């Protein structure tokens, strides 16, 4: 069986990124946020092919949200 990231796992990854980004105060914490951003982007990308069309729409929205959230917060 293939290992793939589910829609729910991708959503959780985006949520972790958001929480870390909101709480980041030091340079080390901001670096952790950047790593989590990369993980979240990878999770969204990986989940896309195994998702329903409705989930794919939400994944696209989450990816756009990640980018704008990152630009606004950091």
């Amino acid at each position: 069986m293939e290992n793939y990231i589910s829609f729910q796992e991708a959503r959780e990854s985006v949520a972790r990124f958001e929480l870390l980004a909101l709480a980041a105060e030091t340079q080390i914490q901001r670096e952790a946020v950047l790593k989590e951003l990369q993980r979240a982007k990878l999770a969204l990308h990986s989940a896309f092919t195994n998702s329903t069309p409705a989930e794919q729409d939400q994944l696209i929205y989450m990816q756009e949200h990640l980018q704008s959230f990152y630009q606004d917060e950091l």
Side-chain angles (χ1 to χ4, degrees), residues 19-62:
L19 290 173
L20 284 173
L22 289 171
E25 294 179 356
T26 67
Q27 184 59 33
I28 291 173
Q29 290 170 330
R30 287 184 192 95
E31 289 172 13
V33 169
L34 291 176
K35 287 180 183 177
E36 192 60 41
L37 174 64
Q38 294 309 313
R39 284 188 204 110
K41 285 181 176 182
L42 180 61
L44 290 171
H45 179 72
S46 296
F48 191 83
T49 56
N50 295 308
S51 298
T52 66
E55 289 172 337
Q56 289 176 348
D57 288 344
Q58 290 181 35
L59 290 167
I60 292 168
Y61 172 78
M62 283 188 272

